C-alpha cells in the first residue's frame, strides 16, 4: 500500500498475527495505534456510543407512551434480544479483530454484495446515531441555557460546535477520546442512579402493583415499545471497531461486547421501572413529559439533581457524538482499504495514528442533516427521534447479517458445536421481527419516510460497489 503524500500522513496495511488454539488470526493495524487502549478504555467506546444517560431522559418516555406499565418488560425483552446478538458478535471477535468490526465479520462469510450491504448499513448506523445524539445535545444544552441565562442559542450553531470539538478529539488521540468518554459516562450514570435509588428508598419497598401486573398494557403497545427499546442499545458492539487499537483484542473485545450489553440492559430496566413508579407517585404521565428526570428528582426530594442530570445528559450526548465519529471513521477506513470508499479515506495521521480524512468525513456527514434541520426549526428531540430511527435500520440489518453468517464461520474455524446455530438463528429472527416492527404498521409523519430513505442510501452504496467491481474487472 503506498505511503501518503505528506509528512504527517500515511496509509499502511501492516499487520500482526496472533495464535488462538490451532487458528491464526491476522490483525491489520492500518496505520492506527496498536494496542493503545486498556480494557476499560475499550469498554468506554461501546458505552459512550450507547449514550445510556440519554435513555432515561429521552427514550424511556417514548417507550412508556406505548408500553405503559410494561415499559420495564419491553427493556427486559430488548436486553434478551441484544444479548443473543452480543453472543454472536463475541464469537466472531474471538477469532478476528480489525477496524471494520461487523462489516469484517460479514465479509468473511457472506457473498460480496451482502458484505457491502453490511458495510454501508453499519456506516449509516454510526453516522445517523451521531446525528441523533447531536440533536439530543442541542436540546439539553438549550434547556440548561434557559435555566441559567434565560434564553437558548441556535441549535445549528450548537450542533456545529459539539461536532467540531468531537472531530478534533477523535483526530487528536484515541486514548484521550476513550478516557474522556469513560469519565463522562461514569459520572452521568452515577447521578441518575442516585436519583433512582432515592425514589425507590423514599417509597418503601419498590413494589408497584400496576407494573408487576402489567395493568392496561396491550400486546401491540408492548411490541412497538420493544422496537423503540432496542434503539437504546444500538452501538453496544462499537468496541469491535477498535480491533487494531485495543490491547489483546481477541480477549478484551468479546468480553466488552457482552459487558456493555449487560450493563446497559440492567441500567435501562431499573431506570424504566423507577421512572414509571416515580410518575405514578407524582400523578403525571411519563409518556408526555419533556423533562422526566426533573419530575423524578422532585419525587426523590432532590430537585437540584434534576438540573445536574440535564448537565449529565448533555455531556453524555457529547460523549456519544465522539463515540459515533470514532467508530464510523474506522469502518470507513476499512471500507476504503477494501475499495468500497475513496482511497484517500484510508489515510492516517503519522503522529496521532488516527484516520484523518475518515474522521472529517464522518463528522461532516453526521452534523450536516442536523444543522439543516435545526436551521429549519426542528426541535432537538425530533432530530433525536428521526435520526435514531434511521440508524436503527442500519444496525438491525447488520446485526441480522452477522448472526446469519456465524454458523458457517464457526464451522470454518473448527469451533462449531451441536446446537451452535440455535442462538444465531434466534438472534436473526429477533432482528427480523424488530425490522418488521419498524415497518408495520407504517409509522406516521416523517418516520414513515425513513425506510425509503434507507433504501435509497443502500441502493446508492450497492451501485457504487457494482461500478467499482466492473472497473476492477476491466483493469
Amino acid at each position: 500500500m503506498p505511503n501518503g503524500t505528506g509528512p504527517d500522513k500515511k496509509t499502511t496495511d501492516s499487520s500482526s498475527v496472533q495464535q488462538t488454539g490451532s487458528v491464526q488470526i491476522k490483525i491489520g493495524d492500518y496505520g492506527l495505534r496498536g494496542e493503545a487502549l486498556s480494557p476499560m478504555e475499550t469498554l468506554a467506546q461501546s458505552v459512550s456510543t450507547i449514550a445510556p444517560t440519554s435513555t432515561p431522559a429521552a427514550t424511556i418516555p417514548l417507550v412508556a407512551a406505548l408500553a405503559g406499565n410494561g415499559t420495564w418488560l419491553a427493556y427486559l425483552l430488548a436486553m434478551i434480544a441484544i444479548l443473543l446478538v452480543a453472543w454472536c458478535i463475541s464469537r466472531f471477535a474471538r477469532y478476528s479483530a480489525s477496524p471494520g468490526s461487523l462489516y469484517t465479520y460479514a465479509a468473511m462469510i457472506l457473498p460480496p454484495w451482502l458484505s457491502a450491504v453490511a458495510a454501508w448499513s453499519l456506516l449509516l448506523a454510526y453516522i445517523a446515531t451521531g446525528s441523533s445524539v447531536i440533536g439530543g445535545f442541542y436540546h439539553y444544552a438549550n434547556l440548561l441555557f434557559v435555566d441559567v441565562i434565560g434564553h437558548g442559542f441556535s441549535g445549528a450553531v450548537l450542533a456545529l460546535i459539539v461536532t467540531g470539538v468531537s472531530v478534533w478529539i477523535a483526530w487528536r488521540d484515541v486514548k484521550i477520546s476513550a478516557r474522556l468518554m469513560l469519565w463522562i459516562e461514569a459520572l452521568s450514570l452515577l447521578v441518575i442512579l442516585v436519583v433512582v435509588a432515592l425514589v425507590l428508598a423514599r417509597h418503601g419497598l419498590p413494589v408497584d402493583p400496576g407494573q408487576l401486573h402489567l395493568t392496561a398494557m396491550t400486546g401491540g403497545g408492548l411490541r412497538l415499545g420493544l422496537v423503540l427499546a432496542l434503539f437504546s442499545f444500538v452501538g453496544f458492539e462499537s468496541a469491535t471497531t477498535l480491533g487494531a487499537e485495543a490491547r489483546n483484542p481477541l480477549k478484551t473485545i468479546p468480553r466488552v461486547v457482552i459487558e456493555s450489553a449487560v450493563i446497559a440492559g440492567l441500567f435501562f430496566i431499573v431506570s424504566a421501572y423507577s421512572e414509571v413508579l416515580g410518575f405514578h407517585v407524582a400523578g403525571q404521565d411519563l409518556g408526555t413529559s419533556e423533562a422526566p428526570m426533573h419530575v423524578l428528582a422532585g419525587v426523590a426530594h432532590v430537585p437540584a439533581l434534576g438540573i445536574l442530570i440535564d448537565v449529565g445528559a448533555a455531556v453524555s450526548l457529547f460523549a456519544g457524538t465522539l463515540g459515533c465519529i470514532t467508530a464510523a471513521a474506522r469502518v470507513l477506513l476499512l471500507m476504503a482499504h477494501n475499495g468500497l470508499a475513496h482511497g484517500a479515506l484510508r489515510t492516517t495521521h503519522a503522529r496521532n495514528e488516527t484516520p484523518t480524512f475518515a474522521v472529517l468525513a464522518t463528522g461532516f456527514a453526521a452534523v450536516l442533516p442536523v444543522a439543516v434541520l435545526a436551521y429549519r426549526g426542528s426541535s432537538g428531540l425530533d432530530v433525536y427521534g428521526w435520526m435514531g430511527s434511521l440508524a436503527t435500520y442500519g444496525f438491525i440489518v447488520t446485526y441480522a447479517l452477522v448472526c446469519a453468517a456465524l454458523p458457517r464461520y464457526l464451522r470454518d474455524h473448527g469451533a462449531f458445536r451441536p446446537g451452535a446455530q440455535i442462538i444465531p438463528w434466534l438472534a436473526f429472527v429477533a432482528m427480523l421481527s424488530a425490522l418488521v416492527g419498524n415497518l408495520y404498521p407504517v409509522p406516521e409523519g416523517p418516520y414513515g419516510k425513513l425506510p425509503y430513505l434507507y433504501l435509497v442510501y443502500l441502493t446508492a452504496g450497492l451501485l457504487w460497489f457494482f461500478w467499482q467491481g466492473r472497473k476492477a474487472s476491466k483493469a
Side-chain angles (χ1 to χ4, degrees):
M1 198 68 65
N3 286 333
T5 57
D8 290 332
K9 301 182 180 72
K10 62 181 179 179
T11 59
T12 72
D13 197 19
S14 58
S15 61
S16 60
V17 176
Q18 291 192 13
Q19 185 82 21
T20 300
S22 60
V23 181
Q24 280 192 331
I25 303 92
K26 186 178 181 182
I27 305 176
D29 64 20
Y30 302 93
L32 302 171
R33 185 173 302 173
E35 300 192 359
L37 302 177
S38 68
M40 286 299 294
E41 291 166 339
T42 305
L43 177 64
Q45 169 62 36
S46 279
V47 173
S48 65
T49 306
I50 297 171
T53 308
S54 66
T55 287
T59 310
I60 287 178
L62 299 177
V63 178
L66 297 166
N69 283 320
T71 301
W72 67 271
L73 180 59
Y75 274 98
L76 175 61
L77 295 174
M79 179 182 176
I80 292 171
I82 288 298
L83 282 174
L84 292 173
V85 176
W87 183 88
C88 296
I89 294 172
S90 70
R91 290 306 177 269
F92 273 107
R94 288 183 176 185
Y95 298 96
S96 175
S98 78
S101 65
L102 307 191
Y103 156 47
T104 303
Y105 305 156
M108 288 185 288
I109 297 298
L110 300 177
W113 73 272
L114 269 181
S115 66
V117 168
W120 287 108
S121 295
L122 186 62
L123 180 65
L124 173 71
Y126 286 135
I127 289 175
T129 301
S131 299
S132 175
V133 294
I134 292 170
F137 173 84
Y138 81 71
H139 169 77
Y140 279 97
N142 269 330
L143 283 181
L144 293 171
F145 284 131
V146 169
D147 285 340
V148 175
I149 62 177
H151 66 85
F153 293 92
S154 165
V157 171
L158 292 174
L160 291 170
I161 291 173
V162 71
T163 306
V165 174
S166 298
V167 165
W168 182 82
I169 295 174
W171 169 80
R172 179 63 183 84
D173 191 333
V174 69
K175 285 186 69 67
I176 293 176
S177 172
R179 289 175 180 173
L180 183 61
M181 292 185 292
L182 177 64
W183 284 107
I184 286 173
E185 290 299 338
L187 292 174
S188 300
L189 291 176
L190 179 61
V191 175
I192 290 180
L193 288 173
V194 167
V195 172
V196 165
L198 288 174
V199 168
L200 297 178
R202 289 183 182 277
H203 296 282
L205 291 174
V207 175
D208 185 351
Q211 292 192 76
L212 296 180
H213 296 115
L214 304 176
T215 304
M217 186 197 76
T218 65
L222 178 63
R223 177 177 62 83
L224 294 174
L226 172 60
V227 172
L228 273 176
L230 285 172
F231 173 64
S232 295
F233 289 87
V234 295
F236 76 94
E237 79 304 322
S238 68
T240 58
T241 64
L242 303 178
E245 297 159 282
R247 294 175 198 163
N248 197 4
L250 303 182
K251 291 185 177 180
T252 298
I253 291 177
R255 184 169 64 247
V256 162
V257 166
I258 299 295
E259 288 173 349
S260 61
V262 171
I263 291 170
L266 294 177
F267 174 72
F268 295 154
I269 293 168
V270 171
S271 296
Y273 184 89
S274 301
E275 280 189 61
V276 174
L277 171 64
F279 272 75
H280 284 171
V281 172
Q284 298 185 34
D285 182 5
L286 174 59
T288 60
S289 177
E290 294 185 357
M293 298 312 296
H294 278 265
V295 175
L296 210 63
V299 171
H301 305 302
V302 283
L305 288 185
I307 297 176
L308 190 57
I309 288 173
D310 281 347
V311 174
V315 178
S316 174
L317 289 161
F318 158 69
T321 305
L322 177 56
C324 289
I325 291 173
T326 298
R330 279 146 182 81
V331 173
L332 188 57
L333 171 76
L334 191 62
M335 290 174 65
H337 272 279
N338 292 345
L340 282 178
H342 194 279
L345 294 168
R346 63 175 179 251
T347 300
T348 54
H349 194 279
R351 182 179 65 254
N352 297 340
E353 297 178 285
T354 54
T356 305
F357 293 142
V359 167
L360 293 173
T362 53
F364 177 78
V367 76
L368 179 61
V370 183
V372 171
L373 289 169
Y375 180 76
R376 293 172 61 87
S378 299
S379 74
L381 286 182
D382 281 340
V383 174
Y384 178 86
W386 296 335
M387 300 307 296
S389 296
L390 180 60
T392 302
Y393 291 113
F395 278 117
I396 287 175
V397 169
T398 308
Y399 292 163
L401 290 174
V402 169
C403 292
L406 180 61
R408 180 180 165 187
Y409 181 80
L410 293 176
R411 191 176 292 110
D412 290 348
H413 285 77
F416 189 84
R417 299 289 183 273
Q421 61 183 347
I422 295 176
I423 292 179
W425 286 113
L426 284 175
F428 177 82
V429 170
M431 292 301 101
L432 186 63
S433 301
L435 183 61
V436 171
N438 267 282
L439 298 174
Y440 182 82
V442 178
E444 298 179 357
Y447 288 94
K449 300 176 182 178
L450 296 178
Y452 301 103
L453 185 59
Y454 170 68
L455 288 175
V456 168
Y457 163 86
L458 197 56
T459 300
L462 286 174
L463 287 175
W464 171 267
F465 165 75
F466 288 121
W467 182 64
Q468 289 291 93
R470 187 174 180 181
K471 281 178 57 179
S473 66
K474 290 182 178 179

